[in-house]
Amino acid sequence: MRAVLAWKETIRDQCVYDIAFKPDGSQVIIAAGLRVLVYDTADGSIIQPLKGHKDIVYCVAYAKDGKRFASGSADKSIIIWTSKLEGILKYTHNDSIQCVAYNPVTHQLASCSSGDFGLWSPEQKSVNKHKVSSKITCCGWTNDGQYLALGMMNGVVSIRNKNGEEKVKIERPGGTSSPIWSIAWNPSKDEHNDILAVADWGQKLTFYQLSGKQIGKDRTLTYDPCCVSYFSKGEYIVMGGSDKQASLYTKDGVRLGTIGEQNSWVWTCRVKPDSNFVVLGCQDGTIACYQLIFSTVHGLYKDRYAYRDSMTDVIVQHLITEQKVRIKCRDLVKKIAIYRNRLAIQLPEKILIYELYSDDSSDMHYRIKEKICRKFECNLLVVCSQHIILCQEKRLQCLSFTSVREKEWVMESLIRYIKVIGGPPGREGLLVGLKNGAILKIFVDNPFPITLLKLSTSVRCLDMSASRNKLAVVDEHNTLLVYDINSKELLFQEPNANSVAWNTQCEDMLCFSGNGYLNIKASNFPVHQQKMQGFMVGYNGSKIFCLHVYSMSAVEVPQSAPMYQYLERKMFKEAYHIACLGVTDSDWRDLATEALEGLDFDTAKKERKKRGENDNELFLADVYAYQGKFHEAAKLYKHTGQESRALGMYTDLRMFEYAKEFVGATDPKSSRILMTKQADWAKSSKEPRAAAEMYLSAGEHLKAIDIIGEHGWADMLIDIARKLDKAEREPLAKCAFYFKKLKHHGYASETYSKMGDLQALVQLHVETRHWDEAFSLVEKHPQFRNDVFVPYAQWLAENDRFEEAQKAFHKAGRQNEAVKVLEQLTHNAVVENRFNDAGYYYWMLSMQCLDIARDQRDEMLKKFERFQHLAELYHVYRSIQRYTDEPFSSHMPETLFNICRFLLNNLTKDIPPGISKVNTLYALAKQSGKLGAYKLARYSYEKLQELHIPSRFQESIELGSLTIRSKPFHDSEDLIEGMMCYRCSTNNPLLNNQGSVCINCRQPFIYSASSYEVLPLVQFYLEEGIGDEEAVSLIDLEVPHTDQRDARWQDMDNGELQALRMDDGFDDAEDDPFTAKMSFEQGGSNFVPVKVSRSVLRSMSRRDVLIKRWPRPLKWEYFRSLLPDVSITMCPTCFKMFHSEDYELLVLQHNCCPYCRRPIDEPN
């Protein structure tokens, strides 16, 4: 369903409260402001404004006979107008008028106010008024005019008879909290009961019978409804309200779609009588008219046609038996597909798969087989025996009935047409036509589409003949083109076609429709035309299936015309086939006569008599021979003593076996003649299969294999290969050569295996890209490792699967290529601003270098350090780039603030490509301002002035520089405290030109890899002679603190390096090397690492120590947490540290480590 805007008008500063159509639909009456406006429905032009009310007009209603209409206003008066737009009568109530309604039969007018309602008819002078207990908001008469329903503010619907007496009272559960705002009676004449739709401000839509009994459950709405209105035949409901749009619902209250989105509340909506036009009135004075277009949703397979009915039902029609079955889906049906015994229906939130109860061709009972409870966006839906195919623009997806995506094909152009052309279950073929003119055949179980043809224009319709040899295409210029699939040759073309179908029972017949004609074409004869309304969609035997507007019918078309076309050409066999599809009795008679004349028996008789031959048996033998009854003919020839004729007949027909039997062992002379003839024929072989068989029986294998291979008879060839002994290598090799040529990978593989030629077998798997077989072979025979992995990696690289290619090179031991691929990937990621990927690839590169470093130590370790550094820089820069380039940031200001500082601390003079110092400083300035680091913000803005600033930041930076001068010239205390060194407790500046180290003790800071806060970790080193294993075992020993009392610090100064080390005891915990407040009397350049002895290791708790267990040649790194309560998690692969909650959240989001992407379920 689509809604197309027909016209739109706006009345300034007025709310449109009500709308009424003249019963013939030509005019629409609108209540807006103090006036009643009359518009032309066709184009929205105003016909006349009517003045008469002194206050806002709230309601209007037109009498069913079209002679008069009424308007009610806040001035407490009702005015009756004629259809000529003249006011003829006015009467009043004590309160403002809320709603008016004309009785559809007696034309009595019901007018309702806040305190009462009145009934006025033209015959009587006075108005009968009846008091009510609550304000009436809406009213409506039943179709027979016997009862009036009133909706009230207190949540009650009161149903009155024509005299105003209450007959039924319906109380809504919400009471006064859910006032009734709109009601409408279903106008359908097909319903047995009167059905009342009630919309209240408890956001519910409910249906009642006249008796007050509720039908079904309440339908919950997501808005306050202001108006509810039925289509003329009652099949749909239109409703609008506080959601600023009108929506279309089924008569049962199932929402089908939006009609028109507006800028304010929709107060009223009405459907033009007997049409699909809807007019809305809004609070801001907008009047909009929309045309609703209901598209056909349907599917056809052979003689079964499924189509959507009243938007939520599917009807399946058997076109031959005319049986119909209705499937109620109770939701909007979006797509339908039918195939053999399967039916697929797409609803907004799921796809239902139905199957027939039995295999009976006339069975119409469907049952649910599977439900796929997922929402899919697709243009076309196709169902097969075990799969559904979803087509979305260029993409085809194949899903099993359990919603598993098994295959996906991406086309080079939009898909315009798709059709299932049959095949074994689970391996069906699809015919696909693209906008760029390509026609493809796709098998459900094959990931590679097969291109059949490439046209120069877009495809509109496609069909393939029964034997899959011919293809009929209708292109966008309405030209029908018929091709031979094997030779790609254009057989013929015809103009004026909009659809085409081959006859499912006769190979050479097709029909196409266009320009109001049905065209039938047999072979390459001229087209036979007949008039036909609609669109031809199928051709089965003598029945043509034709879709006209919404109805599908089977048209019986006698096949006489094509039969006579064949008879004219003396093609009796084809004519007989056509006649079998359905022709008249006289056509059969003509066929029989023509056939006899074609065989020309009469002439033969006269000729025989002239030659003195009157033997009827001999004549009958000739007739049998012409009819193909050769054995009967041979018996008669023998009976009449004409054995030579029988022999001649058999040899002409190349039936040498029968000829041998006929001659028998009695006549060696005839046998010899026969053998000679057979050999000659085999030589000039027009039937190479027989020749090959003769060579085989003669033991000439190579000649036989050549003939069979050149003709591509793979089945025959594999039989030979299987019968040959494995010692006969030459014929086996020849068989394998032909199998490769014929692309029969399985047979070639079997032959090479038989020969035991593993090298050739590996070569075969690689050439045919059967990698799995190649890998399994390499597992058993590792000597072929390079022969497989190198081409595999190259193939992956050619197919843009670089990450897998890199791993394959790595497996093949080609480290240089592996590194090269990674470097290229990294370069591309940086160029394309994919910094996340760049960081990941640099990390992978560093790990590759570490792997290689076991052989080429120094050079590779330098590279490892550099790549690790770059990985971290790109990883953090990704967040800054997203902040500056994208409209929204997912990071907290504190995180961005930390990241910017970390990056600036670590950027040396040569900035890596892709990383922008401007973006970093800009982001830092913005976040500093937010967090109160005004001094740092001012510094950032000053630094920015020295750089080349892109124009998009220019204004923002200038404004920021000015604004920041109004702030105090210092940074927030909290931020400075956050930069405390956990070793010497020195507060560090927010930016440090010496890098990420403490300005006092030079201890490097350890950062969280997600928030980039400084973690309470200090790295320590082992004393000489303590190995990693020993250190771990010492830490694992939990020793009480009393052992530590004698340890004392010793300051060692040996030349360059200063080291703080622990002696065998110290007084108390105050002397712990990690927490001691050290005053470093040093010039500022030397870093004194923490070195620990065995006793200190023993005193440490295992849960306070984190160890980076680097592979060799790197040494393990040890870190101690100085705040054990802070939970820290380290990734076991990349050794990045995180606050545990951050890490768990990130892992839940990405299902892997955010830094090195190690899947969370992968072992360390």
Side-chain angles (χ1 to χ4, degrees), residues 709-888:
E710 276 159 20
H711 287 86
W713 298 322
D715 300 348
M716 211 166 160
L717 202 56
I718 190 64
D719 285 343
I720 296 170
R722 283 169 183 163
K723 284 172 190 164
L724 284 169
D725 187 74
K726 62 180 176 189
E728 298 181 74
R729 293 183 75 81
E730 194 181 351
L732 279 171
K734 203 153 214 173
C735 286
F737 165 75
Y738 279 117
F739 285 137
K740 272 174 80 170
K741 196 172 169 183
L742 296 170
K743 296 196 167 51
H744 277 282
H745 168 255
Y747 289 165
S749 158
E750 186 183 326
T751 312
Y752 281 133
S753 301
K754 184 174 183 174
M755 292 165 67
D757 190 345
L758 292 177
Q759 183 73 44
L761 191 55
V762 167
Q763 200 60 38
L764 171 75
H765 289 326
V766 168
E767 280 171 22
T768 52
R769 310 271 187 261
H770 286 87
W771 301 114
D772 293 343
E773 286 98 322
F775 296 153
S776 62
L777 203 65
V778 166
E779 273 177 37
K780 292 174 197 158
H781 306 283
Q783 67 267 33
F784 299 121
R785 189 185 182 87
N786 267 11
D787 296 341
V788 172
F789 279 110
V790 173
Y792 175 57
Q794 285 162 348
W795 175 76
L796 286 170
E798 283 164 20
N799 286 290
D800 297 349
R801 290 160 61 183
F802 294 111
E803 285 186 37
E804 293 165 69
Q806 182 267 327
K807 284 172 186 160
F809 276 130
H810 194 53
K811 265 190 192 169
R814 297 283 190 96
Q815 301 292 7
N816 289 347
E817 276 98 329
V819 171
K820 205 175 286 176
V821 170
L822 259 182
E823 283 177 339
Q824 188 58 49
L825 272 177
T826 315
H827 175 72
N828 292 353
V830 171
V831 169
E832 293 164 19
N833 286 358
R834 292 184 291 108
F835 297 114
N836 223 7
D837 290 346
Y840 172 58
Y841 293 143
Y842 267 127
W843 177 78
M844 278 177 71
L845 257 176
S846 70
M847 298 315 281
Q848 290 263 275
C849 291
L850 190 55
D851 216 18
I852 303 167
R854 290 167 196 179
D855 309 327
Q856 315 161 18
R857 185 159 176 169
D858 294 344
E859 180 198 347
M860 280 301 164
L861 281 180
K862 276 181 195 161
K863 274 193 169 183
F864 166 76
E865 297 291 347
R866 184 167 142 262
F867 289 152
Q868 281 270 326
H869 180 64
L870 285 172
E872 185 143 36
L873 293 190
Y874 281 117
H875 176 71
V876 298
Y877 184 65
R878 158 79 174 147
S879 306
I880 295 168
Q881 179 244 347
R882 281 189 65 180
Y883 171 74
T884 54
D885 292 7
E886 293 179 13
F888 303 108

Side-chain angles (χ1 to χ4, degrees), residues 118 124 273 402 554 636 776 883 910 1026 1042 1070:
Q124 65 195 64
T402 53
L636 283 172
S776 62
Y883 171 74
D910 45 339
I1026 304 177
T1042 50
E1070 290 294 316

Side-chain angles (χ1 to χ4, degrees), residues 559-573:
Q559 307 293 317
S560 313
M563 188 194 84
Y564 285 115
Q565 287 178 326
Y566 277 112
L567 282 181
E568 279 165 26
R569 301 276 182 97
K570 300 275 185 281
M571 297 167 81
F572 301 112
K573 210 172 177 181

Side-chain angles (χ1 to χ4, degrees), residues 12 118 159-160 216 338 500 553 566 696 811 1012 1078 1088 1131:
R12 281 209 180 151
I159 298 179
R160 312 271 177 152
I338 188 166
V500 64
S553 54
Y566 277 112
L696 280 176
K811 265 190 192 169
Y1012 281 85
M1078 304 181 187
V1088 183
C1131 170

Side-chain angles (χ1 to χ4, degrees), residues 114-125:
S114 302
D116 64 356
F117 71 96
L119 299 169
W120 173 84
S121 58
E123 303 84 50
Q124 65 195 64
K125 293 276 186 281

